[in-house]
Amino acid sequence: MHSPRRHDTDRAGRRPVVESDRAGRRPVAHSSATAHLVVAVKDLDAAKSRLADRFPASARTSLVLAMLHDTLDAAAAAVPVSGWSVVTPDSRVARFVHDLGGHVIPEPPLAGSVDDRLNTALASADRHVRGTNGVVDVIALQADLPALRTDELEEAFTESDPQGRSVVVDHTGTGTAALIVRGTADPLGPQFGEDSARRHIESGAAPLTGNWPGLRLDVDTAVDVRAAVELGVGPHTGRLLGELGWL
C-alpha cells in the first residue's frame, strides 16, 4: 500500500483533506512494534445499509473502500503496529487489499448471523496471525474509522492492559471501535455486534477512557458521516465525499 504516514492537523487536531503520499515508500518498523492489526470487512453488497437513503449502492461500495483505505493508512502508521491483515469474504475487498500491499485472510465459510460470522472470522484471524507471525499483541479494529488519527491508536494501545484484553467503546456508548489483547496467549475473544461494548467488558476486557474522537467514530449513518467530516476525514474519504457533494 502507499506508505502510511501521519497526517498534519489543524489547531483543533483535525486532519485536512489532503493527497496521500504516493512515493511508494513503506514504513520502517519501530523497535517497539509488537502488535498485528486485524480488520474485518463484510460483503460489500451488504455494507452500510443504513446509508441506502443517502448513497446509491455503487457509492456505498466506494465509501466502504475509501474509509478502509484511510483507516489502514492511519492505523498502520502507529508505532506499535508491526503488520496488518484484512479478513473478508468479498473478492473485491481482497483485490483492493492486495493492491494496497496488504495480507488477506479469507473468512471461514460458516452459516449463522452476520455478527456470528464476523466474530468467527476475527477469532480465526487472531489465531492465524499469532501462529504465522509469532506475535502476541493483536488489535482488532473497525474498518470504517475515516477520522482516525495515528496518535489516537498509539495512545489507546499504550493505555491498554499490558497483560490482558482492553476495549475502546465507540461513540454510541454501546459498540466497539477496537479490541486489544496484549502480553498474553489468551484469545482475542471478539464479541462484536449489538451491545458489544457491554459483552466485551463483561468478558474481562478493560474499557479505555481516553479522548479519542476519531478512533471512536465508526461510520454507519448520515449523522456519523457529518460528524467525521467535522472531525476531519482522511484524503480518500474526503475526495469521494467531495465528488458526491458532501463537502
Side-chain angles (χ1 to χ4, degrees):
M1 62 185 291
H2 298 310
S3 173
R5 65 185 182 89
R6 299 174 199 271
H7 297 277
D8 293 334
T9 59
D10 62 17
R11 292 182 181 178
R14 295 174 301 208
R15 295 183 301 172
V17 176
V18 295
E19 290 295 320
S20 60
D21 182 356
R22 297 186 179 277
R25 296 183 297 270
R26 299 189 65 81
V28 177
H30 192 280
S31 60
S32 60
T34 61
H36 195 92
L37 181 74
V38 176
V39 177
V41 182
K42 66 174 66 174
D43 191 313
L44 289 177
D45 291 335
K48 301 303 169 195
S49 59
R50 282 188 281 176
L51 288 171
D53 61 334
R54 302 301 180 95
F55 295 95
S58 60
R60 294 199 304 277
T61 294
S62 296
L63 181 60
V64 168
L65 296 177
M67 292 194 296
L68 173 64
H69 199 162
D70 285 326
T71 299
L72 291 171
D73 273 357
V79 167
V81 175
S82 60
W84 59 272
S85 300
V86 172
V87 56
T88 183
D90 195 297
S91 59
R92 293 164 294 180
V93 176
R95 288 194 299 272
F96 183 79
V97 171
H98 278 306
D99 288 345
L100 295 182
H103 178 63
V104 177
I105 302 174
E107 182 177 300
L110 293 172
S113 69
V114 172
D115 293 339
D116 289 341
R117 296 198 301 272
L118 169 65
N119 289 317
T120 299
L122 285 171
S124 175
D126 174 47
R127 293 190 297 270
H128 176 84
V129 299
R130 293 197 198 195
T132 302
N133 301 308
V135 298
V136 174
D137 303 338
V138 173
I139 304 170
L141 193 67
Q142 291 282 16
D144 52 359
L145 303 172
L148 173 66
R149 286 168 33 194
T150 299
D151 60 348
E152 292 178 318
L153 186 61
E154 291 175 340
E155 290 174 13
F157 187 84
T158 298
E159 294 185 19
S160 64
D161 185 342
Q163 292 186 313
R165 293 163 65 242
S166 302
V167 60
V168 178
V169 179
D170 73 4
H171 67 292
T172 69
T174 62
T176 298
L179 184 64
I180 303 170
V181 60
R182 293 178 59 192
T184 175
D186 291 345
L188 178 68
Q191 299 189 43
F192 286 87
E194 186 176 356
D195 208 18
S196 64
R198 176 186 60 78
R199 287 185 281 111
H200 281 136
I201 293 169
E202 288 180 350
S203 69
L208 302 178
T209 59
N211 180 27
W212 308 308
L215 174 57
R216 297 186 189 274
L217 183 55
D218 51 320
V219 172
D220 290 311
T221 68
V223 172
D224 297 338
V225 174
R226 295 190 187 97
V229 169
E230 179 63 24
L231 282 176
V233 297
H236 306 286
T237 305
R239 185 160 51 252
L240 176 63
L241 292 177
E243 294 170 357
L244 296 173
W246 275 72
L247 298 180

